[in-house]
Amino acid sequence: MAPISSLLLIDKPIGVTSFSSLTPIKRNLEKKVGHAGTLDKFAHGLMIVLTGNMTKLNSIFSSLDKKYEATFEFGKMTDTLDPEGNIIETSGIPTIDEIQKAISEYFIGTIAQVPPKYSAIHINGKRAYHLVRDGKEVELNPRDITIYSIEISSYNPPFLKLKIHCSKGTYVRSLARDIAFKVNSVAYVTELVRTHIGPYRLTDAIKAEDENLLKKSISNSEQLLLQLPYMGTIIIEDKAVVPLSHGNLPKNEYIVEKRVSSESRYAIIYSKDNVMLAIVSLNEMQEIVSSIAILQ
């Protein structure tokens, strides 16, 4: 039986890992399943979940920018920088003016950020958090990330609520630590919600436990793919369909219609009767260079 290939928007609940949150999907829909971006256990919000042959599209979605709503508590810091850790340091509480000044001066644009020691980053083949829990010293190198905007929603000391728009690879827990450091304080993240990934919104997500809605959502996969600004479409002749299913890219003379823009980096290939056949990668000339996922 062919795998069920789909793109799903899932609302991960608080208290489960990203991996564990996929269990209902494996049980009720498709065993071959993955997600395009981890969300911390204490957090909830939007996850992009891929099933079947669409799991090969992970790299397309993992590079998208993200938006979060977060609450920082100043004056305390935990070892994990989240509410699941132990308090290891305390300090005074900064003013709203101090926080706003630090954000404006140091945390907008491209910055170097050191990930939390309690993170899933691999160090010599092992997760950083496993090494820390084993009592080993962990040194993580800074990584360049981009913060597009930080909006302060409210400040009821010591709790600061923010809306954050950032690039892939951003750790909001590190952001809390670093902003606090700039105002001679400490902080950790008490609440975190991921509200957007690229063009996708949490308000359009479903619960993985809702089996009926889960199965209905399969039909939305094509529409979700087409929401990507760099996704084009290509229609091919019938004679190219079977060769494509074996991984042979269609020749130019077998392309019936091509709808791509100068920004298109990928395309959905359709048959003449509008069946999705594959997702392919395009070069700068919008020519097909490789297949990413064969869907039929």
Side-chain angles (χ1 to χ4, degrees):
M1 185 176 178
I4 297 173
S5 298
S6 65
L7 164 58
L8 305 168
L9 302 182
I10 299 297
D11 182 359
K12 187 195 86 68
I14 293 172
V16 297
T17 65
S18 297
F19 179 80
S20 298
S21 71
L22 304 179
T23 300
I25 300 172
K26 293 178 181 178
R27 182 176 62 245
N28 299 319
L29 185 64
E30 169 61 49
K31 291 183 179 179
K32 187 178 181 181
V33 58
H35 61 79
T38 300
L39 195 56
D40 289 327
K41 184 179 177 181
F42 78 95
H44 87 87
L46 182 60
M47 282 180 51
I48 292 177
V49 174
L50 304 162
T51 72
N53 291 339
M54 283 198 188
T55 55
K56 297 177 181 179
L57 305 179
N58 185 286
S59 61
I60 295 177
F61 297 99
S62 60
S63 62
L64 295 172
D65 60 310
K66 299 171 176 67
K67 292 182 181 179
Y68 297 92
E69 293 180 0
T71 301
F72 297 172
E73 181 178 1
F74 284 87
K76 297 177 184 177
M77 184 171 69
T78 66
D79 50 4
T80 58
L81 300 174
D82 65 31
E84 296 186 338
N86 299 311
I87 295 174
I88 57 172
E89 192 173 346
T90 60
S91 72
I93 310 299
T95 67
I96 186 63
D97 290 338
E98 290 173 323
I99 295 169
Q100 184 67 74
K101 185 173 184 291
I103 290 173
S104 300
E105 290 185 2
Y106 300 106
F107 296 97
I108 302 298
T110 299
I111 63 173
Q113 183 186 73
V114 178
K117 292 184 178 182
Y118 281 86
S119 64
I121 292 173
H122 280 97
I123 300 176
N124 298 324
K126 292 188 176 181
R127 302 284 190 183
Y129 66 85
H130 284 313
L131 295 173
V132 174
R133 287 171 181 167
D134 289 342
K136 297 180 179 179
E137 273 298 316
V138 171
E139 290 296 330
L140 296 172
N141 295 322
R143 301 178 172 191
D144 283 347
I145 60 162
T146 301
I147 306 296
Y148 302 105
S149 66
I150 297 178
E151 176 188 337
I152 295 177
S153 301
S154 66
Y155 187 41
N156 296 306
F159 297 103
L160 178 75
K161 292 185 179 294
L162 314 95
K163 294 180 179 179
I164 302 162
H165 181 195
C166 56
S167 68
K168 70 169 186 175
T170 301
Y171 284 90
V172 177
R173 288 180 290 141
S174 290
L175 204 55
R177 176 199 65 203
D178 297 343
I179 291 173
F181 177 78
K182 288 294 185 183
V183 292
N184 299 311
S185 184
V186 293
Y188 71 102
V189 183
T190 63
E191 296 178 342
L192 184 64
V193 183
R194 187 156 66 198
T195 60
H196 294 75
I197 302 176
Y200 308 113
R201 303 175 300 178
L202 176 58
T203 51
D204 295 324
I206 63 171
K207 302 291 185 182
E209 297 79 8
D210 191 331
E211 184 177 353
N212 291 331
L213 199 52
L214 194 64
K215 292 178 177 178
K216 287 180 182 178
S217 295
I218 296 171
S219 61
N220 294 332
S221 299
E222 179 181 358
Q223 179 185 356
L224 293 174
L225 281 169
L226 290 171
Q227 286 184 34
L228 291 170
Y230 40 76
M231 182 68 73
T233 61
I234 296 172
I235 300 174
I236 61 173
E237 292 279 7
D238 292 341
K239 64 178 70 176
V241 172
V242 173
L244 179 61
S245 69
H246 294 131
N248 297 310
L249 301 177
K251 299 177 181 179
N252 286 334
E253 58 262 36
Y254 295 152
I255 294 176
V256 176
E257 182 180 306
K258 181 188 285 189
R259 293 184 178 179
V260 297
S261 71
S262 59
E263 296 180 351
S264 297
R265 288 183 281 160
Y266 308 98
I268 303 172
I269 294 187
Y270 292 91
S271 64
K272 290 171 71 175
D273 54 356
N274 206 39
V275 175
M276 271 202 312
L277 302 173
I279 312 295
V280 295
S281 179
L282 307 177
N283 62 17
E284 292 179 355
M285 304 298 293
Q286 284 71 54
E287 298 169 329
I288 301 172
V289 291
S290 64
S291 64
I292 302 175
I294 304 296
L295 305 178
Q296 298 290 332

